Amino acid sequence: MTVRVVVGGALCHEGRLLAARRSAPPEVAGRWELPGGKTEPGESVPAALVRELREELGVEAEPLERIPGEWQIRPGLVLHVWTARLLSGEPAPLEDHDELRWLAPEELDSVDWLDQDRPAVAEAGRRLRDGRGERHTRSHGGA
């Protein structure tokens, strides 16, 4: 079976992480996720993230680094999450979402995240607390 990647954006700005509430499909409506979407054939994951954040939120963002790990959404579909920095625009729920919230690290548990997003949200929160959420850092094997 071919595995397709869904990219999620841990979009960070001014020490906060953007959470997006799903409006569809019904089985996940009302729950929160990191915005993003499926990669297109031949498209790199960072390029897909830039495209998806533009389509879903109307913003320009810069992918910074991948959060280690991958999480199954359903058979044949896995989630990869990248931290990203907001370059321009004010996020708006244009597709698939009905509400957005900027959450400080201590507020991350205030919304009902989709299960597959939880590990990456926790890591993004750690990075924000450490001051690493909005800048590119090179991993030296540990983190």
Side-chain angles (χ1 to χ4, degrees):
M1 175 191 315
T2 302
V3 175
R4 191 164 177 194
V5 173
V6 172
V7 63
L11 187 61
C12 302
H13 184 65
E14 297 179 352
R16 297 175 300 159
L17 177 69
L18 187 70
R21 189 171 68 186
R22 294 287 310 193
S23 55
E27 59 270 17
V28 295
R31 296 193 65 197
W32 295 78
E33 70 174 358
L34 298 170
K38 296 180 186 88
T39 56
E40 298 294 337
E43 183 179 43
S44 73
V45 174
L49 180 60
V50 169
R51 177 184 52 75
E52 286 287 344
L53 294 179
R54 186 181 301 132
E55 290 172 1
E56 288 191 3
L57 306 174
V59 299
E60 294 301 320
E62 175 188 18
L64 299 176
E65 62 184 342
R66 184 170 164 200
I67 290 178
E70 89 175 14
W71 301 275
Q72 185 169 351
I73 296 171
R74 61 177 184 263
L77 207 56
V78 296
L79 175 67
H80 290 187
V81 175
W82 283 66
T83 59
R85 182 169 59 93
L86 182 64
L87 297 176
S88 66
E90 182 64 35
L94 303 177
E95 286 185 8
D96 303 325
H97 304 106
D98 61 4
E99 186 180 339
L100 303 175
R101 286 187 196 164
W102 286 108
L103 301 173
E106 63 274 8
E107 298 172 314
L108 294 178
D109 291 335
S110 68
V111 299
D112 182 20
W113 294 98
L114 291 173
D115 294 341
Q116 67 268 14
D117 286 44
R118 289 178 188 274
V121 167
E123 176 59 24
R126 281 190 286 280
R127 292 175 186 214
L128 282 172
R129 281 189 294 278
D130 294 345
R132 298 188 297 142
E134 296 175 58
R135 67 177 197 274
H136 187 48
T137 57
R138 298 240 180 242
S139 175
H140 295 288

